[in-house]
Amino acid sequence: MSENIVVLSPDKDIKINKWIVHKGSQVSNGSVLLLYHEVESEIIERLININCGIVKKLLHKEGSLVPKNSPLLEIAECLHTTILLDLCAECGADLQQIDMAKMSKASVPMIHSVPELKVSEELAKKLGRADTNRLLKDRKLALLVDLDQTIIHTTNDNVPNNLKDVYHFQLYGPNSPWFHVRLRPGTLNFLKAIEKYYELHICTFGARNYAHMICAFLDENGRLFSHRILSRDECLNATRKNDNLKALFPDEIGDAMVCIIDDREDVWNYAKNLIQVKPYHFFQTTGDINAPEGLTKRELDGEGVDFNKIVKLHNATKTNKVQTSPKTDDETKSNTTNEEAKTEVKEEETKNESKEDKTKKQLQKDGESNSIVDKEDADDNLVEVEDPDDYLLYLETILMKIHTRFYEQYDKTSEIPDLKKLIPQLKSEILIGVTIVFSGLVPNNAKLEYSRPYLVAKNMGANVSNSITDETTHLVAASTGTQKVFQAQKNKKIFIVTPEWLWTCAERWEHVEEKLFPLTSGRSHKMRQVPAHCSPERVNEEEQTVKFNNPFLQMSDDDIASMEAEVTDSSSDTDSDDEREDTPEIERIVRKRKRSEDRPSTSSKLVHTIDLSGGKKENEDNISQGGSSESEKSGKSSDSDTLVAKFRRGEKVSELESNDSSESSGEGEGEWNEMGAELERGFLDDED
C-alpha cells in the first residue's frame, strides 16, 4: 500500500495564483505544482515538487490565502511497480537518483525479449492471473519450445549451398560465420496444428539475434510466437532454463499449465512437466551448437547425412539426363519440319490481329517461359535429401493427449490440474498390465532396481521381474541364445523383443506393436544403453547420485561381456529341451553341429585336456603358449585333438587313444563322462 504525502506551503504566507496539477495527476521529482506570490509581494513564483506519485487531493482553491507551513495537497507516493532501465514507467523517476530506502520493488521480468522491463511481484501475480484466465477461456495450455535439435538442427560447418530446405544466414555482418539450419521434417505443419491448443513460447540457449532469425523462418507473420521468445541473453541462469519459469508465469498456480518440449532434461533440472523429445540430427559432425559451456551432449542421437555422397549422386543423375537428351538427325529434321508447318498455320490465323495484341501476347509468352525456365533451373540445382525422421507426428499425438486429459479433469472438478502431476500419470499408463524380464541389458553385478532400463519400464507402468514366471508377458533381450530366451520360447504367450521396442514405447508414449521388433539371430542388437531421450525421470539430486552416477550402470565392454556370459555351457547343454517342438529338423541338425564345433574352445577353458603323449596339461595357459612340444610336432592343437572333440565330429576314437587316456591320471575319466553326456544329448535330440 502506498502512503500519502502531505505537501506544505513555503515558510511564509502565500496566495495561490494557479494550480498546475489536478486530482489524479502523475507528478515526479522536479515538476511544478502551482504558481503563487507572497502576500506582501506581487512577484510570481513556482512551487517545485520533490516527491513522486499521484495527486490524491487539493486542499485549497485558486486565489486562497494560505498561511506558512500549511498543507497544500496530498500525494500518493509512487511505488515504481514498473521500471525500464532504472526509470519508473509510471512516474518517470530516475531510480538511480532516489534514496535506496525508496527503491522500487519491481523485480519480475514479464516480457520474454525485454528483460529490462520489470514489474513488482504483486503486479506480476495480477498479470499472471489474467493470463491464466485467458488460457482457460481459450481452452489452451502454454508450451515452451526448444529450438536446437528439437525442431531444427544448425551447424557452422561447410555444407553444400544447394541443399533443399536448408537455410543459410549470417548474424554479424559479411565477415561473420555462416549458419546453416535444417528444419525438422513436418515442423511447420506441427506448429500450425498445435497452436490451436497451446500458446507457443520459444526457449533457447541461442543468442537473441539467432533466436529471432530462426523464428523468422518458423513464423513469418509473427502469429505463432509473437514476442514470446526467450533467448540466452534473457536467461537468468547460464546453464538452467527453469529459473525463468517463475518470472514468465508468476500466477499462484505457477507453471501448472506449462508443458515443455526439449531434447535434453538437464537444462530444466529434470522437470516433471518436460517431454524429452528424440534429438534431431541432420548434420554429421555437429550436435547441440548452442549447448552451455560444460554441458555438451555426448549421447548417440543419430549419424547425420553424408552430403558428399548425395551431391555426387545428384551430379551423376544430372549428367545422365544431359547425355540422354540429344536427339538423332532424323528426329530433329522431322521436328523442324513440323514446327515450320505449325508456324505457317499460326501466321495465317493471326493476320487479322493488330500489332499491339501480337506484342502483348509475345511479351506474356516470353515472360512465362523465362519464369518456367528459371524455376526448373533452380529446382534442378537443389539437392533434395530424404529425411526419414517422423517424430513430430508422434509428438503431436502426445501433446493432444495431455491437452485432452487436462481439460477433462478441469471440466469435472473446476480446479486447475497440475501438469507436473498429470504428465507422469499419463506416461505411467503406457504399459499397464505388462510384465517385463530383461536379458543382456543389466550388468550381473548391478541391482535391477537401480538400472536405467528398469526405471524406463516402471515409469511407463510396467512390472519388472528378475526371472520368467507365469505372469511374464515380455522378454526384452539383447541377443539370442540366453537361458531366458530359451525359457521364454517355451511359452508362446511371451513376446520376445529387442531393446528397441522398449525405447520406442518410451519415445512415442504408446504400446508399440511387438511384431515390429522381433528378436532374431541374424540381427545385431547394440542398443543396450538407454537412449538419452528415453531416460527415466529424476526425483532429486540424492537419487540422481545413487541411481545414475553408480559406476555399475556405465555399460563398459567388461559389463557387456559379463552379460554375454549368460550363454553358458549349461544353456548349451539344455537348449535341446528349450527348443520349440515345431523347429524344423534341418535347423536342429545345423545348430547341433555348430555346438559341436564351438564347444571345444569353451570347454577347454573349463577342464583339463589330455595330451596324446600321455602327459596332462592345464587348459588356458598351456593352450595360449602352444601346449607341449609333441603336440606342436604333430601340427595339431591339443584342443582339437581331445577325445570329446573327435567324438563330436563323428570321428572314430582308436583303442590306442582310449588306452592312453585310461592309463593317464584320473582326469581322463572326465573326458569319457563328457562323451557319454554328449551321446545322451544326441539321443534326446533324436527323440524330440
Side-chain angles (χ1 to χ4, degrees):
M1 295 293 293
S2 60
E3 298 180 357
N4 289 343
I5 300 174
V6 178
V7 179
L8 303 179
S9 62
D11 193 15
K12 47 192 172 183
D13 298 335
I14 62 171
K15 181 179 180 180
I16 300 176
N17 289 67
K18 184 179 180 180
W19 282 103
I20 303 300
V21 297
H22 55 82
K23 184 179 180 180
S25 297
Q26 193 86 303
V27 294
S28 59
N29 186 18
S31 60
V32 179
L33 298 177
L34 56 83
L35 300 179
Y36 71 93
H37 66 85
E38 296 181 13
V39 176
E40 299 177 355
S41 173
E42 296 295 332
I43 300 175
I44 303 299
E45 298 184 32
R46 297 178 299 176
L47 182 62
I48 305 300
N49 180 46
I50 59 174
N51 302 292
C52 299
I54 300 175
V55 176
K56 302 295 291 184
K57 186 178 182 180
L58 301 179
L59 302 179
H60 298 278
K61 297 181 180 180
E62 293 181 356
S64 300
L65 295 175
V66 181
K68 62 180 181 180
N69 299 326
S70 297
L72 288 174
L73 72 162
E74 294 180 359
I75 298 177
E77 185 180 17
C78 181
L79 297 179
H80 314 299
T81 55
T82 305
I83 62 173
L84 178 63
L85 294 173
D86 293 329
L87 294 176
C88 179
E90 297 179 355
C91 66
D94 187 353
L95 301 184
Q96 292 182 346
Q97 299 178 2
I98 299 178
D99 185 23
M100 290 299 295
K102 297 182 179 180
M103 286 294 291
S104 170
K105 296 182 180 180
S107 59
V108 182
M110 285 285 293
I111 307 299
H112 297 60
S113 56
V114 189
E116 298 85 2
L117 180 62
K118 300 179 181 179
V119 298
S120 64
E121 291 187 7
E122 184 178 354
L123 180 58
K125 290 181 179 180
K126 183 178 179 181
L127 296 174
R129 198 175 305 115
D131 289 338
T132 300
N133 294 334
R134 176 177 52 81
L135 289 176
L136 292 174
K137 182 180 178 181
D138 296 338
R139 297 187 73 82
K140 285 188 174 184
L141 299 173
L143 181 66
L144 305 188
V145 182
D146 174 56
L147 292 181
D148 294 295
Q149 291 201 273
T150 298
I151 58 176
I152 66 169
H153 192 207
T154 305
T155 185
N156 288 126
D157 296 342
N158 293 326
V159 300
N161 59 359
N162 60 340
L163 295 176
K164 193 174 182 180
D165 297 330
V166 174
Y167 299 89
H168 314 273
F169 60 90
Q170 292 173 290
L171 289 178
Y172 309 105
N175 296 326
S176 62
W178 279 91
F179 290 86
H180 313 282
V181 178
R182 166 80 174 195
L183 301 186
R184 193 168 200 158
T187 294
L188 298 180
N189 292 332
F190 166 77
L191 295 176
K192 291 179 181 178
I194 215 67
E195 186 268 340
K196 301 176 183 178
Y197 307 95
Y198 288 83
E199 182 183 76
L200 303 180
H201 303 244
I202 286 180
C203 289
T204 177
F205 272 138
R208 183 180 300 175
N209 291 348
Y210 173 84
H212 284 263
M213 178 64 75
I214 299 299
C215 188
F217 300 142
L218 300 173
D219 186 18
E220 294 181 358
N221 300 324
R223 186 177 63 87
L224 299 177
F225 296 102
S226 184
H227 65 278
R228 300 182 295 272
I229 304 175
L230 182 72
S231 68
R232 178 179 61 204
D233 299 327
E234 293 85 45
C235 286
L236 303 178
N237 191 317
T239 59
R240 293 287 184 268
K241 295 180 181 179
N242 57 298
D243 289 1
N244 286 76
L245 289 178
K246 185 176 181 181
L248 298 179
F249 307 98
D251 191 12
E252 287 85 355
I253 65 171
D255 56 352
M257 296 180 66
V258 177
C259 182
I260 307 167
I261 56 174
D262 201 319
D263 64 300
R264 54 190 308 167
E265 57 184 355
D266 53 347
V267 297
W268 292 100
N269 198 24
Y270 310 102
K272 293 183 177 296
N273 53 343
L274 166 71
I275 301 174
Q276 189 176 10
V277 306
K278 180 180 180 180
Y280 178 52
H281 195 105
F282 184 77
F283 302 104
Q284 276 190 331
T285 58
T286 306
D288 187 352
I289 193 173
N290 290 307
E293 186 176 357
L295 293 179
T296 303
K297 294 197 303 181
R298 296 179 181 177
E299 72 271 11
L300 300 176
D301 53 15
E303 298 180 356
V305 178
D306 188 353
F307 299 116
N308 294 327
K309 294 182 180 179
I310 293 176
V311 172
K312 289 180 180 179
L313 180 62
H314 176 75
N315 293 334
T317 305
K318 193 173 180 181
T319 303
N320 292 335
K321 289 182 179 180
V322 173
Q323 291 177 353
T324 57
S325 61
K327 300 180 180 179
T328 61
D329 295 338
D330 295 337
E331 290 178 346
T332 54
K333 289 180 180 180
S334 60
N335 289 337
T336 52
T337 55
N338 292 333
E339 290 177 358
E340 290 175 358
K342 290 180 180 179
T343 53
E344 290 177 0
V345 173
K346 288 183 179 180
E347 288 176 357
E348 292 178 357
E349 292 177 352
T350 57
K351 283 181 179 179
N352 297 328
E353 293 180 357
S354 63
K355 294 182 179 180
E356 294 180 357
D357 294 337
K358 289 182 179 181
T359 53
K360 288 182 180 179
K361 290 182 179 181
Q362 188 64 31
L363 290 174
Q364 290 177 355
K365 291 180 180 179
D366 293 342
E368 291 176 358
S369 62
N370 290 335
S371 62
I372 292 173
V373 171
D374 292 340
K375 289 181 180 179
E376 291 178 353
D377 292 341
D379 293 339
D380 290 340
N381 291 330
L382 290 178
V383 179
E384 185 172 359
V385 180
E386 293 185 5
D387 196 338
D389 185 280
D390 59 352
Y391 177 76
L392 291 183
L393 297 176
Y394 301 102
L395 181 59
E396 181 180 344
T397 304
I398 294 171
L399 293 174
M400 290 304 303
K401 289 180 182 178
I402 294 173
H403 180 274
T404 302
R405 179 68 63 87
F406 178 91
Y407 277 100
E408 283 179 354
Q409 295 185 8
Y410 176 72
D411 293 337
K412 290 181 180 179
T413 62
S414 298
E415 296 181 358
I416 300 177
D418 190 350
L419 288 183
K420 293 188 294 295
K421 298 179 180 179
L422 187 147
I423 289 178
Q425 177 186 359
L426 192 62
K427 191 173 182 180
S428 65
E429 300 173 1
I430 299 173
L431 295 180
I432 285 183
V434 172
T435 301
I436 296 176
V437 175
F438 295 118
S439 175
L441 287 180
V442 181
N444 296 334
N445 52 5
K447 291 185 177 180
L448 177 65
E449 294 77 10
Y450 287 165
S451 65
R452 291 170 68 101
Y454 173 88
L455 295 174
V456 169
K458 292 295 289 184
N459 284 341
M460 290 189 289
N463 297 319
V464 182
S465 60
N466 275 310
S467 57
I468 296 177
T469 63
D470 294 338
E471 298 179 354
T472 303
T473 60
H474 290 71
L475 175 66
V476 180
S479 61
T480 58
T482 65
Q483 289 181 342
K484 292 179 180 178
V485 172
F486 293 137
Q487 188 177 356
Q489 286 176 344
K490 295 180 179 180
N491 191 342
K492 295 183 179 180
K493 296 181 180 180
I494 298 178
F495 294 99
I496 305 176
V497 294
T498 63
E500 288 90 337
W501 174 81
L502 185 62
W503 314 151
T504 305
C505 290
E507 172 185 299
R508 300 180 181 178
W509 282 37
E510 65 180 14
H511 190 139
V512 181
E513 177 62 43
E514 290 84 359
K515 294 180 180 179
L516 300 176
F517 302 93
L519 182 67
T520 58
S521 58
R523 292 179 58 187
S524 176
H525 308 291
K526 299 180 180 179
M527 292 289 291
R528 298 177 184 272
Q529 294 188 4
V530 182
H533 61 282
C534 296
S535 59
E537 299 171 358
R538 276 69 165 177
V539 179
N540 52 48
E541 294 295 335
E542 294 180 358
E543 290 190 3
Q544 290 179 43
T545 304
V546 173
K547 295 181 180 180
F548 300 100
N549 293 334
N550 191 327
F552 291 129
L553 301 187
Q554 307 301 322
M555 305 283 281
S556 63
D557 295 338
D558 295 336
D559 293 331
I560 294 176
S562 66
M563 288 187 290
E564 292 288 358
E566 289 189 54
V567 191
T568 58
D569 292 325
S570 59
S571 67
S572 298
D573 294 340
T574 59
D575 57 4
S576 61
D577 296 331
D578 296 333
E579 293 172 354
R580 295 187 181 273
E581 296 180 357
D582 56 351
T583 303
E585 184 67 23
I586 186 65
E587 292 182 8
R588 192 179 304 170
I589 295 174
V590 170
R591 281 199 298 270
K592 187 163 65 175
R593 181 173 297 177
K594 186 175 185 302
R595 288 198 304 270
S596 66
E597 292 174 357
D598 295 342
R599 178 78 178 202
S601 61
T602 304
S603 61
S604 61
K605 295 181 181 180
L606 302 177
V607 299
H608 296 289
T609 57
I610 302 175
D611 195 334
L612 294 179
S613 61
K616 181 182 71 175
K617 57 182 179 179
E618 299 293 331
N619 64 349
E620 199 165 45
D621 295 335
N622 290 340
I623 288 174
S624 61
Q625 296 174 3
S628 63
S629 59
E630 291 188 22
S631 63
E632 292 177 356
K633 293 179 182 179
S634 63
K636 299 181 180 179
S637 64
S638 61
D639 187 42
S640 62
D641 286 334
T642 59
L643 299 178
V644 176
K646 288 188 174 183
F647 181 81
R648 287 176 180 151
R649 292 197 299 267
E651 298 178 6
K652 183 177 179 181
V653 181
S654 63
E655 294 182 1
L656 177 61
E657 292 176 350
S658 62
N659 292 334
D660 290 340
S661 60
S662 61
E663 292 174 2
S664 62
S665 62
E667 296 294 334
E669 297 178 1
E671 290 284 298
W672 288 103
N673 292 336
E674 192 170 355
M675 285 193 295
E678 185 72 15
L679 184 61
E680 182 181 0
R681 283 193 294 273
F683 284 125
L684 292 176
D685 286 343
D686 293 337
E687 291 177 1
D688 291 340

